Amino acid sequence: MWKELCKEIIACRACPRLVAWREYCGKHPRRAYQGQSYWARPVTGFGDLEARIMICGLAPAAHGGNRTGRIFTGDRSGDFLYRCLYQVGLANQPISVNREDGLEVSGCYITAIVRCAPPHNRPSPEERDRCLPYLVRELRLLDKVRVIICLGAFAWSGMLRVLRELGYFRRPAPPFGHGVEERIGPYSLLGSYHPSQQNTFTGKLTEAMFMKILRRALRLANVQM
């Protein structure tokens, strides 16, 4: 069923603005990626289908996941994320270059609220809502997930909508914050700043801060690495 869902995601053309942007980026690569073939389609989730930990971001980067075809791969955010996952034993290597680089994750699954790269990393509310049913279905299939790390406020609010669709909700909705922890239904939600260059280069998010989130997730999920 997961493979069928992935096929549906990859074939999706529901948001004209996102389709146009992802394909434009594929035809106009950055100088560093000249000559490379871009994925330029929606990007599926990646990881362990038996995972107890889910990590949810905003969307693929225009010249990261939209280029490589794997979430958080080929950009600075992914470099930061997988380096940290490696340090806690959730990834077999600290490098994320392309889909054939040998990277594997164990105990966690990585996904996003929106599956296409949006202009300026800002999906519209309508684009978010068209994409959320994929995440609802994904979470239903990943029935062992018990901890969800939301990378940024957009992922946090999107995940709250997903959980409400699954029948779990809180009133009032808990606000996002780095290190915030909330129990909603069978899930523990953990908030973290997104590992974007804007956050990691300025020190708003450090590896030590993110490692603390990951170790808390491991304890909550009772994952033995």
Side-chain angles (χ1 to χ4, degrees):
M1 294 178 67
W2 181 78
K3 290 183 178 179
E4 286 73 16
L5 174 59
C6 289
K7 289 179 181 178
E8 286 187 43
I9 292 172
I10 292 169
C12 184
R13 299 181 66 85
C15 300
R17 188 180 77 112
L18 299 190
V19 171
W21 178 247
R22 78 194 192 204
E23 294 179 355
Y24 174 86
C25 292
K27 294 174 182 176
H28 301 84
R30 287 180 175 171
R31 182 176 299 177
Y33 308 129
Q34 290 288 334
Q36 293 189 21
S37 177
Y38 273 55
W39 174 258
R41 288 176 281 174
V43 178
T44 67
F46 164 70
D48 186 351
L49 300 184
E50 300 295 313
R52 293 180 63 83
I53 298 171
M54 173 179 279
I55 299 173
C56 185
L58 188 159
H63 301 281
N66 186 57
R67 174 172 59 91
T68 64
R70 189 172 69 195
I71 195 74
F72 281 109
T73 295
D75 59 39
R76 295 291 180 86
S77 295
D79 294 343
F80 180 99
L81 175 65
Y82 289 115
R83 187 166 60 247
C84 291
L85 292 180
Y86 174 74
Q87 291 181 57
V88 297
L90 290 172
N92 68 328
Q93 63 187 41
I95 299 170
S96 62
V97 179
N98 57 57
R99 296 196 308 279
E100 288 77 42
D101 62 10
L103 175 67
E104 297 178 1
V105 296
S106 177
C108 74
Y109 183 90
I110 304 159
T111 189
I113 297 294
V114 174
R115 308 310 173 105
C116 294
H120 310 295
N121 290 321
R122 293 180 180 175
S124 71
E126 294 79 14
E127 290 161 347
R128 174 202 61 200
D129 292 345
R130 289 191 198 106
C131 218
L132 282 183
Y134 291 132
L135 186 50
V136 171
R137 291 168 61 188
E138 205 167 37
L139 197 49
R140 281 177 174 150
L141 289 172
L142 298 166
D143 58 1
K144 291 184 172 58
V145 167
R146 290 297 174 265
V147 180
I148 303 172
I149 301 173
C150 297
L151 303 178
F154 189 91
W156 180 270
S157 63
M159 188 58 69
L160 291 178
R161 289 171 180 268
V162 166
L163 296 183
R164 184 172 61 192
E165 183 65 25
L166 291 171
Y168 310 113
F169 59 94
R170 288 265 304 276
R171 292 179 179 171
F176 170 77
H178 183 82
V180 167
E181 180 179 327
E182 297 287 345
R183 182 76 177 180
I184 302 180
Y187 305 106
S188 293
L189 263 63
L190 296 176
S192 171
Y193 293 136
H194 192 282
S196 64
Q197 290 186 59
Q198 181 180 356
N199 289 336
T200 58
F201 281 17
T202 61
K204 183 175 182 179
L205 178 66
T206 65
E207 284 195 17
M209 291 168 64
F210 192 64
M211 294 288 285
K212 186 175 180 180
I213 297 290
L214 289 178
R215 292 190 176 106
R216 177 59 178 162
L218 287 167
R219 287 194 295 272
L220 288 169
N222 193 29
V223 173
Q224 302 296 323
M225 303 306 299

